[in-house]
Amino acid sequence: MKPLPFKVYTELVPLPLPHEIEPIAADTLEAVATPATGRAEALTLAQLTALLYYAAGVTKKKTYPGGGEMLFRAAPSTGALYQTEVYVAAGAVAGLEPGLYHFCPGDFALRRLRGGDVREAIARAAADESLARRAATVIASAIYWRNTWKYQARGYRHLFWDSGTMLANLLAAAGALGLAPRVLAGFVDADVNRLLGLDAAHEAALELVALGPDGAPAPPVSAVHESHHAFIPLSSSEVDYPLLREIHAASSLDTPDDVRVWRRGGGEWGGVEGGTSRPLVRLPSPRTASGRGLGETIQRRGSTRQFSHAPITAEELSTALWAATRGFEADVPAGLVDLYLIVNAVEGVPSGAYFYQPEDKALEPIRAGDVRGESAYLCLEQPLGGDAAAVIYFLAPLDEILAAFGDRGYRLANLLAGIAGGRAYLAAYALGFGATGLTFYDGHVVEFFSPHAAGTDAIFVVALGRSAGAGRATIVGNSILPRRPSA
């Protein structure tokens, strides 16, 4: 039985959020590019409501004959399973009492799990005193079963792709409101899970996002006591995937000192040496404004189900790639994930395979010619991968990342690819075309882009293009790729 799409605490009184959502009219591309400098004098309940809606809310509903209903969320999710849950540690939010809350998109309400200011406990778990002064911290978690129901143990990667695309929305919205969002991927897992009352065998915290201006530090709190609240079961039964739990446990941090050491190790990340003597395909300068507000873009967003073979422009591709590679405030460095592309239909860019060089806003050619069939095959033989105008393949040097960040580096690679993919989504819908995330054949993706991609691992895929109606051309993904020699 498909899991319920919402987590509903049965013994906690809902606190309905205002249904008059504060519109975020800032241009979408400007919001993506907004530096994380604080401008807001306070974080208000109206702003928090807007952030929750544009990050994780239900944005539209489709009803089918016979009474079926599909609820669409603000951010994309693999298989539309929406396993990412959102909690808020509120301390200085005007109009909201201090406490720890769960956000339920189903009835658009908060439920208070703990009363009182818990920001100091969050700061201690994250080994970052600034979180005790920020107005609030959003905590993204994931319920495993909601994704493993379909994708089994591979769903572990999806937890970070999906929380990443959600954070892409949250970062843009919070930046547009002047709330200086900062992502923290390092924290003591058991302490945050205990604070939220999560059973780590089924759900776990993934990331923290600090919001709002600095203020007076939260008062110290004593040791956090165990507190669990009943919620409606997602299914009548669940299947356990021990490998997922083992991966998560192996990448967990046990003490605040472990968090500090982990961050120092990440500070030494220098990336992988690049450079090429090949002539580059220069892209036009990306657009810095789309003419569409962020709120409207998120409201219109969906995952494209059919692509035509109609081209996008080189400027549109350049803008999507620029948006995907924008930096943001975090406790981890940028640049862990590389962007490889298959170009099928981009005006002024020859068809073929490329590597994107963000500093030059240019494409390095890897393979020339029509490779629509290969792209469809690489994307798990899904026609979308061949019909799209361009497909972004996010690859990462996992061996180097794990050497710098330990086992938690695996989380980072998938999270950063998810955020980058989410930003490409925002750029695409702001400019009037579409996007969709795709699964893929890991090894074949690396082989296809090798020898250039030798030593990397495939992480995530996002296809871009114009949507199509009936009668579209469709690529059948039945190619068999030859093995390529390693460099």
Side-chain angles (χ1 to χ4, degrees):
M1 175 182 173
K2 185 177 180 178
L4 291 176
F6 304 111
K7 183 178 186 180
V8 181
Y9 287 94
T10 56
E11 299 172 352
L12 301 178
V13 178
L15 172 64
L17 291 169
H19 281 261
E20 297 74 26
I21 306 298
E22 181 173 319
I24 300 182
D27 186 274
T28 303
L29 297 179
E30 293 177 356
V32 170
T34 299
T37 53
R39 300 189 307 275
E41 295 181 358
L43 173 58
T44 66
L45 179 58
Q47 289 174 324
L48 179 62
T49 299
L51 290 176
L52 295 174
Y53 176 75
Y54 289 120
V58 175
T59 52
K60 32 187 186 291
K61 177 174 68 173
K62 184 174 183 179
T63 303
Y64 297 92
E69 187 177 79
M70 172 69 77
L71 301 178
F72 296 89
R73 305 282 188 94
S77 171
T78 48
L81 297 173
Y82 306 112
Q83 73 277 358
T84 307
E85 295 291 326
V86 178
Y87 298 82
V88 181
V93 179
L96 183 66
E97 292 184 12
L100 179 66
Y101 297 85
H102 173 259
F103 169 60
C104 179
D107 59 1
F108 202 59
L110 295 174
R111 288 171 173 81
R112 190 167 66 180
L113 304 175
R114 293 179 184 270
D117 196 334
V118 299
R119 289 178 297 165
E120 198 268 341
I122 293 283
R124 192 166 59 237
D128 188 329
E129 294 179 357
S130 71
L131 270 65
R133 301 190 302 272
R134 301 296 296 273
T137 295
V138 168
I139 306 157
S141 75
I143 298 178
Y144 311 145
W145 173 239
R146 217 183 259 148
N147 198 278
T148 58
W149 170 80
K150 181 175 182 179
Y151 295 104
Q152 302 181 27
R154 185 180 173 88
Y156 187 69
R157 309 171 71 173
H158 302 180
L159 308 185
F160 298 94
W161 299 350
D162 291 2
S163 60
T165 56
M166 190 204 76
L167 290 187
N169 284 20
L170 183 66
L171 289 169
L177 294 172
L179 297 174
R182 181 168 180 258
V183 176
L184 291 96
F187 52 87
V188 179
D189 296 77
D191 288 354
V192 176
N193 290 337
R194 185 182 306 109
L195 185 71
L196 300 178
L198 306 183
D199 177 356
H202 301 279
E203 179 182 0
L206 302 181
E207 302 97 25
L208 315 176
V209 184
L211 297 171
D214 269 357
V221 294
S222 57
V224 175
H225 61 277
E226 293 280 351
S227 178
H228 300 277
H229 299 281
F231 56 89
I232 298 174
L234 300 186
S235 301
S236 58
S237 62
E238 296 184 13
V239 178
D240 184 33
Y241 292 93
L243 181 59
L244 183 150
R245 291 186 288 102
E246 291 169 12
I247 293 171
H248 200 71
S251 60
S252 294
L253 300 171
D254 296 329
T255 69
D257 284 341
D258 291 340
V259 176
R260 296 184 187 96
V261 170
W262 178 78
R263 287 201 183 113
R264 285 199 296 270
E268 298 172 1
W269 168 258
V272 179
E273 290 297 323
T276 179
S277 58
R278 301 179 186 181
L280 301 178
V281 177
R282 302 284 175 178
L283 294 173
S285 296
R287 291 177 58 176
T288 56
S290 64
R292 179 169 289 161
L294 177 65
E296 180 188 355
T297 294
I298 293 175
Q299 194 73 45
R300 293 168 61 98
R301 189 214 62 78
S303 289
T304 304
R305 298 305 177 196
Q306 296 178 345
F307 287 117
S308 71
H309 286 192
I312 62 175
T313 68
E315 182 187 55
E316 288 171 333
L317 176 63
S318 179
T319 303
L321 297 175
W322 166 85
T325 52
R326 293 292 298 174
F328 56 92
E329 285 295 314
D331 64 343
V332 294
L336 271 64
V337 178
D338 295 321
L339 279 61
Y340 286 79
L341 289 95
I342 287 180
V343 171
N344 295 319
V346 177
E347 294 174 0
V349 181
S351 297
Y354 296 90
F355 175 75
Y356 179 57
Q357 298 199 4
E359 298 82 5
D360 298 317
K361 297 181 177 61
L363 300 177
E364 177 185 343
I366 293 176
R367 179 178 174 183
D370 185 342
V371 288
R372 283 187 186 271
E374 287 90 335
S375 190
Y377 175 79
L378 293 175
C379 295
L380 217 61
E381 303 177 58
Q382 298 172 90
L384 284 162
D387 291 334
V391 184
I392 306 173
Y393 293 82
F394 298 91
L395 278 70
L398 272 182
D399 287 345
E400 287 84 357
I401 292 172
L402 295 174
F405 295 94
D407 290 336
R408 206 176 186 89
Y410 187 71
R411 300 189 193 185
L412 291 183
N414 286 281
L415 170 65
L416 295 178
I419 292 174
R423 288 175 151 189
Y425 258 95
L426 289 174
Y429 281 89
L431 295 175
F433 57 101
T436 192
L438 297 172
T439 47
F440 47 90
Y441 288 124
D442 301 58
H444 284 313
V445 168
V446 176
E447 290 169 10
F448 177 82
F449 289 107
S450 290
H452 192 287
T456 66
D457 288 86
I459 304 297
F460 188 36
V461 172
V462 171
L464 308 172
R466 305 200 186 282
S467 62
R472 81 195 192 288
T474 299
I475 291 294
V476 178
N478 57 2
S479 303
I480 298 177
L481 300 179
R483 288 192 171 272
R484 295 173 174 269
S486 299

